[in-house]
Amino acid sequence: MEPDGGSTASIARAAGLARPTAHRILCVLADQGLLDRNQRSGRWSLGPEMYLLGSLAADRYDITDRAGAILRNLARDTGESAFLSARRGDETVCLATEEGTFPLRSHVLHIGIRFPLGVASAGLAILAHLPERDVDEYLRRVDLAPTWGPEHGDTPLRVRLSEVLRDGYSTNPGLIVEGSWGMAAAVFDRRGDPAWALSLTGVETRFGTERRRQLGKRLLADAHTLSQSLR
């Protein structure tokens, strides 16, 4: 609908509704301040109450300001690019990033990119820390292998999830783009649910065994600090 608004007819088509039904619903939403209608063009756009609702939700879900210093320090101290991703249903979406100082970088992640849970290090870290029944239900209804490759099939994915629970952090050994590695640690909300993840990405040569332990320890410490600040 945004930024120019939408006509009643276009909104009705998008929603699969008859035009009169869509018009009645739009009028009710406008009465509640959730929509505005331009009296000249007749086009509908988001109303002031949507802004207020978004502001209230941002206080609970948008943690980019609180994560800013952590991301900057993480990128500076490790030389790798640091990211904050959030869970949105069955996906993760990248919200913020800080570029590292090492001249060779992975360019898989960027602000706004989405991956299914279990794909990329952030989605792997979040999925591993969900209740077991939620993981089982997700893997029953989602088949990642056809799109993301056989290493995202049920059995190998479950092996990696068990490794995350063992180590505390996740590792993506170039499964999305060859040679591009990532690591992540989950960040928990006030209820103790894994709602975000801090991650580092870089080229494979930067992720040797001993350095992965060091990076994992740092990710866990920073994720814990951020989780505590949210509580």
Side-chain angles (χ1 to χ4, degrees):
M1 186 184 290
E2 297 297 305
D4 299 322
S7 67
T8 302
S10 65
I11 294 171
R13 284 194 301 272
L17 298 172
R19 190 180 185 283
T21 302
H23 185 265
R24 288 195 297 271
I25 294 173
L26 291 168
C27 287
V28 171
L29 293 174
D31 288 342
Q32 299 301 315
L34 296 171
L35 295 178
D36 272 337
R37 192 179 195 192
N38 186 304
Q39 295 304 313
R40 282 190 169 185
S41 67
R43 298 178 73 84
W44 304 87
S45 58
L46 299 181
E49 289 297 324
M50 293 296 290
Y51 170 79
L52 295 175
L53 290 172
S55 298
L56 292 172
D59 290 338
R60 183 175 179 183
Y61 295 107
D62 186 2
I63 66 168
T64 52
D65 287 343
R66 297 193 196 192
I70 288 176
L71 288 175
R72 287 191 293 274
N73 292 336
L74 193 55
R76 180 197 65 202
D77 296 344
T78 66
E80 314 303 338
S81 295
F83 300 86
L84 173 70
S85 297
R87 180 188 178 189
R88 293 292 183 265
D90 286 346
E91 297 180 316
T92 59
V93 57
C94 182
L95 300 180
T97 179
E98 285 288 335
E99 288 192 355
T101 56
F102 190 71
L104 296 178
R105 300 189 182 109
S106 165
H107 296 284
V108 175
L109 285 180
H110 56 79
I111 292 176
I113 193 169
R114 294 173 177 264
F115 289 107
L117 292 178
V119 176
S121 56
L124 190 63
I126 290 173
L127 182 62
H129 287 93
L130 290 176
E132 187 175 352
R133 65 181 182 277
D134 292 351
V135 174
D136 290 340
E137 194 277 332
Y138 174 71
L139 294 180
R140 275 196 300 269
R141 60 186 168 81
V142 175
D143 186 4
L144 300 173
T147 301
W148 300 100
E151 287 301 317
H152 293 90
D154 187 281
T155 299
L157 181 55
R158 286 184 185 275
V159 170
R160 289 202 300 282
L161 292 175
S162 67
E163 292 171 349
V164 175
L165 295 179
R166 180 196 67 198
D167 300 332
Y169 55 85
S170 66
T171 301
N172 168 34
L175 297 180
I176 300 176
V177 174
E178 185 177 359
S180 176
W181 282 49
M183 298 180 64
V187 176
F188 299 87
D189 63 17
R190 297 172 185 174
R191 298 174 299 180
D193 296 329
W196 304 274
L198 292 175
S199 59
L200 292 168
T201 68
V203 295
E204 181 178 0
T205 54
R206 299 276 288 174
F207 288 81
T209 302
E210 182 56 35
R211 191 160 191 264
R212 288 203 306 273
R213 294 193 187 100
Q214 297 170 359
L215 294 176
K217 184 177 180 180
R218 174 61 185 271
L219 281 166
L220 286 173
D222 284 350
H224 178 72
T225 297
L226 185 54
S227 296
Q228 289 298 107
S229 75
L230 298 173
R231 294 178 183 177

